[in-house]
Structures are given as C-alpha cells and as structure tokens.
C-alpha cells in the first residue's frame, strides 16, 4: 500500500523517534550511505537561544530576491512538518516529504541506525536540497550547536550566533558561558562567524578555527522590515552583516525588497481583525522581548493572555515577566505530552486565572488586545 503524509507523520512522532539524543555519529552514518549530500551544499549556519528563526527568515528572503535558489531549514513547525523544509518560500510537497522520510528510515532500519525525529528530518533536508540543486542553504540548528544534527557540515559560508540565554539548561549547561560554548560549536575552520555578544567561548573557538569573528552592534533601522518586535533590530543587524560579508554585490534596493517580503509566522504576528498577537515566546528571554514589544506597540491597550507552556521551560518566570494585575489571564493545558497541567500553571501564576477551552468562548472584539503565547506547540492546538 502506498505510504501517505499521515504515515510519515505517525512515524516521526512515534515513541521510537520522538526524543532528543544529541550527537553526530548517527546522522553522519546515514548521510554517508546517502552519498554525503551535505558536502556539496553551501550553507549559512545559524545557532543561538532566541532570534535564530527570524535571522534565517530574513536571510532567505533577501537571497531569494537576489535571484538565488534558497533552501531554508527551520524548526519547530507550527502546523505541518513540511514548513521546516522550503525552497524560495515554498514548502516541500507532501508526496516528496513522504518519499524522502521513508527512504531515509528504511535505509536506517537496514543498517540498524537508530535515528531521532530531528535526525530523520535533517537527513531528508540535506538530500532534498542536494537533489533540487540549491544555490545556498540557510540552516537553523535545532538544539545547541556542537552536537546538533545540522552540525555534520564540514564548512560553511558563515556561522551566525544570535542572542544567548538560559534555555535547555539540562542539555546545554546551566550558565550562559556553557551554552555559548555549545553554540560556538558551529564555527568552522577558516569560515567567518557573525555575532552580537562577546562570549569568551565564541572568541576562543573563532581563534582556534582561524575564523574571522565579526561583532555586530544592533543599530540597523527596522522600518523596512515586515517583522515587528523590538528584538528584531538585533536579528536584522546580524542578518545584514552576514549578507554584506558573503554577498557584497547585493544591491540595497534588493535588500529592502527582501525585508518587505520576510514571512515568519507566530513571531509577534498581529492579526488585526481579531485584535490578536501570536508569539511563540517559549522561554524567559522570549517573554522579556514580547513584553517590551507589547509595551512599545500597544502601550495603552488592556490585555488578555492565553498562555500554555512545556514543563521543560521556566514558565513561572515567564508568567512573572508577562502578566500584570489588570490583565485577563487564561491558562491552557494543550495536547503535547510535556504540556504543563492547569494545576501546575495555576500554582505558578502570580494572578488569578481562568481555564482556556476555545477561542469561540472569548469575545475577541471587546477592545482588549488578545495575546497567545508560551509555546509554539500550543499555537497549532488553538488555531
């Protein structure tokens, strides 16, 4: 019987695949059998705690406007796995996705290589982009950098390390310096690195690799950028510094057109007819960025929050940053296996809160600004 996209999703989200196991051994084995497609791709590699996705979206949009055939690999997805693998803004088709997923997993089973979900997707992406003759791949790490499956590449056009903060501390270390060390693992010999924060670990790795390290001040003008949010100034500064370094011939008018056309859903995304902000803020640093953006763009609006979070995140701190005593607060226990329960959220919430069931139960047009935030996994549940 012919395999379907639904079959591919069931395989990826099964207990046998849906877990994290950092390391490059398994991904190296499977790609070796596939002919090492990654060695024939030009990549811009992006790591960091917050802002990776925005930087990647900006880069991909500008490079597309410049006439390049651009592959974009990002995570997580909001609605469909195919969102993670795009060529010039177009998602991989369901049929291609299914075919590549089963090709990779059948080879892995044959050679007893126990791949995780992210490793399967990464192998699919490299093979697909190679087959489609991509000019440049904008590559977002999944977790960390040093042992992230994307770091199987041997060289890159440029590494970009975005803002670093405490997240995934159980796997990456419990200080920003330790996390910076993991992120710096994407720096490659004689390949430049662009960053906005001067961690010793990044400097040391750049020195060790004989790599040009470019420190960027976040001063770019965001008025032409389609993405909103105060934090986009830093992301834009990193992206433009990388473009000017690698592709100095791209004209300013092409860059501006690229900025106008950037799409990155659920990052301070405003849906006007519902007076609704959707933001994937999923750690304390993301919560600070969201709060600052709300205060800047909607300073006098009463706020209604719909909030849910994974138990692996510091949700008490996030709620403390986001909520105010005058806010209307709804808490949501969504369908992800690691979603915090209503009781857990209520205990940590600094103010009185109601249980969220459905958007249909809320009058979104009563003048309050509605904000859905806390987890990318929750957003697809609600919308």
């Amino acid at each position: 019987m012919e395999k379907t996209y639904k079959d591919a999703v069931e395989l990826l989200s099964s207990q046998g695949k849906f877990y994290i196991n950092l390391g490059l051994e398994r991904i190296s084995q499977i790609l070796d059998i596939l002919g090492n497609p990654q060695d024939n791709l030009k990549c811009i590699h992006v790591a960091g705690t917050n802002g990776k996705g925005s930087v990647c979206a900006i880069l991909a949009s500008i490079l597309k406007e410049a006439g390049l055939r651009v592959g974009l690999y990002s995570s997580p997805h909001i609605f469909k796995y195919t969102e993670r693998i795009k060529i010039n803004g177009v998602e991989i088709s369901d049929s291609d996705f299914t075919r590549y997923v089963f090709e990779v997993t059948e080879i892995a089973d044959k050679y007893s290589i126990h791949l995780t979900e992210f490793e399967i997707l990464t192998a699919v992406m490299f093979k697909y982009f190679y087959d489609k003759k991509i000019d440049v791949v904008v590559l977002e790490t999944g977790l960390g950098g040093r042992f992230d499956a994307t770091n199987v590449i041997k060289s890159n056009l440029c590494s970009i390390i975005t803002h670093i903060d405490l997240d995934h501390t159980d796997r990456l270390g419990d200080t920003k310096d330790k996390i910076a060390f993991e992120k710096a693992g994407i720096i490659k010999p004689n390949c430049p690195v662009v960053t906005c924060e001067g961690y010793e670990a990044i400097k040391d790795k750049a020195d060790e690799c004989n790599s040009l390290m470019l420190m960027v001040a976040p001063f770019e003008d965001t008025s032409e950028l389609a993405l909103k949010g105060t934090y986009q100034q830093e992301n834009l500064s990193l992206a433009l510094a990388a473009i000017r370094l690698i592709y100095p011939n791209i004209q300013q008018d092409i860059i501006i057109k690229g900025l106008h056309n950037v799409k990155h859903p659920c990052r301070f995304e405003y849906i006007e007819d519902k007076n609704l902000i959707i933001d994937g803020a999923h750690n304390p640093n993301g919560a600070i960025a969201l709060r600052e953006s709300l205060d800047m763009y909607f300073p006098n609006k009463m706020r209604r929050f719909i909030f849910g979070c994974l138990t692996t995140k510091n949700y008490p701190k996030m709620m403390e940053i986001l909520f105010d005593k005058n806010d209307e607060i709804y808490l949501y226990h969504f369908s992800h296996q690691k979603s915090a329960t209503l009781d857990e959220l209520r205990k940590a919430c600094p103010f009185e809160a109601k249980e969220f069931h459905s958007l249909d139960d809320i009058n979104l047009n009563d003048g309050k600004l509605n904000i859905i935030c806390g987890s990318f996994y929750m957003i697809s549940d609600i919308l």
Side-chain angles (χ1 to χ4, degrees):
M1 213 167 83
E2 195 177 334
K3 300 282 198 298
T4 65
Y5 171 77
K6 188 166 174 276
D7 295 327
V9 170
E10 281 173 7
L11 176 82
L12 287 165
S13 54
S14 67
Q15 287 297 100
K17 310 290 180 196
F18 194 78
Y19 62 97
I20 295 167
N21 187 2
L22 296 175
L24 301 178
E25 187 187 346
R26 298 172 303 277
I27 188 73
S28 299
Q29 283 179 292
I30 193 75
L31 287 170
D32 197 40
I33 297 164
L34 290 167
N36 287 311
Q38 77 283 2
D39 291 348
N40 295 293
L41 293 166
K42 292 178 178 171
C43 300
I44 302 173
H45 204 182
V46 185
T49 308
N50 292 86
K52 316 188 274 295
S54 295
V55 169
C56 288
I58 294 166
L59 288 168
S61 186
I62 293 170
L63 294 171
K64 178 190 170 216
E65 288 303 329
L68 292 167
R69 197 162 158 74
V70 187
L72 173 62
Y73 184 51
S74 60
S75 60
H77 60 277
I78 309 292
F79 301 106
K80 274 186 87 172
Y81 275 100
T82 51
E83 294 164 31
R84 297 179 182 224
I85 301 171
K86 294 179 183 171
I87 298 175
N88 284 2
V90 179
E91 293 174 23
I92 184 173
S93 68
D94 286 6
S95 58
D96 275 346
F97 182 80
T98 304
R99 184 162 54 81
Y100 278 86
V101 164
F102 279 101
E103 180 188 347
V104 166
T105 52
E106 281 161 14
I107 292 169
D109 289 346
K110 181 180 171 185
Y111 289 92
S112 300
I113 306 167
H114 302 291
L115 299 177
T116 67
E117 174 208 47
F118 189 71
E119 287 165 343
I120 295 167
L121 292 168
T122 302
V124 164
M125 171 271 299
F126 280 131
K127 183 75 168 75
Y128 177 70
F129 286 160
Y130 171 74
D131 289 349
K132 295 293 183 183
K133 298 181 170 52
I134 292 303
D135 294 323
V136 59
V137 178
V138 179
L139 195 58
E140 180 186 347
T141 58
L143 182 60
R146 190 163 60 113
F147 293 125
D148 186 78
T150 59
N151 204 31
V152 73
I153 59 172
K154 296 186 182 76
S155 67
N156 57 43
L157 296 173
C158 174
S159 302
I160 301 176
I161 299 175
T162 68
H163 179 72
I164 287 170
D165 216 298
L166 298 176
D167 198 9
H168 302 290
T169 50
D170 54 328
R171 294 176 185 278
L172 303 180
D174 55 3
T175 68
K176 290 185 189 179
D177 290 310
K178 287 178 185 171
I179 292 171
F181 174 77
E182 294 299 330
K183 310 288 186 190
I186 70 164
I187 300 171
K188 298 286 180 279
N190 305 304
C191 302
V193 55
V194 179
T195 187
C196 49
E197 297 168 335
Y199 287 96
E200 286 301 322
I202 297 173
K203 291 178 185 170
D204 290 349
K205 184 68 177 175
D207 285 346
E208 180 195 317
C209 289
N210 193 32
S211 300
L212 169 72
M213 177 175 158
L214 198 59
M215 279 279 290
V216 175
F219 290 135
E220 292 288 349
D221 174 16
T222 58
S223 59
E224 301 288 352
L225 181 62
L227 306 179
K228 298 303 170 214
T230 52
Y231 49 90
Q232 295 298 358
Q233 189 167 41
E234 193 170 282
N235 299 331
L236 178 61
S237 301
L238 287 167
L240 289 183
I243 291 283
R244 288 168 188 147
L245 182 66
I246 318 165
Y247 296 100
N249 296 329
I250 295 180
Q251 300 294 313
Q252 185 63 15
D253 60 327
I254 296 289
I255 288 174
I256 288 172
K257 200 170 172 193
L259 298 184
H260 288 173
N261 294 329
V262 180
K263 290 184 177 62
H264 195 38
C266 304
R267 279 75 170 185
F268 206 70
E269 184 179 8
Y270 182 49
I271 298 168
E272 201 169 347
D273 63 330
K274 292 189 165 57
N275 204 18
L276 174 65
I277 292 278
I278 305 169
D279 192 278
H282 58 284
N283 53 37
N285 184 253
I288 290 168
L290 172 56
R291 179 69 192 254
E292 285 175 355
S293 297
L294 290 170
D295 291 346
M296 179 178 165
Y297 290 98
F298 303 96
N300 304 314
K301 280 267 192 184
M302 294 290 285
R303 295 171 188 171
R304 176 188 290 118
F305 283 94
I306 299 161
F307 180 89
C309 200
L310 299 183
T311 53
T312 52
K313 304 289 182 176
N314 187 354
Y315 57 86
K317 184 72 180 166
M318 290 168 66
M319 291 195 278
E320 185 188 312
I321 291 162
L322 287 169
F323 301 158
D324 205 279
K325 63 178 186 296
N326 297 319
D327 295 335
E328 187 179 349
I329 302 163
Y330 286 86
L331 302 174
Y332 185 36
H333 174 47
F334 51 101
S335 61
H336 192 281
Q337 59 208 39
K338 290 186 177 169
S339 169
T341 66
L342 193 63
D343 280 349
E344 286 170 326
L345 293 170
R346 271 207 170 117
K347 273 179 194 157
C349 187
F351 306 106
E352 193 181 326
K354 308 169 194 175
E355 181 180 1
F356 175 80
H357 297 287
S358 162
L359 283 180
D360 297 335
D361 302 335
I362 296 171
N363 178 8
L364 296 177
N365 299 309
D366 62 359
K368 286 187 181 177
L369 180 67
N370 304 285
I371 304 129
I372 297 174
C373 63
S375 171
F376 283 115
Y377 296 106
M378 176 185 79
I379 292 167
S380 60
D381 258 29
I382 292 179
L383 300 182

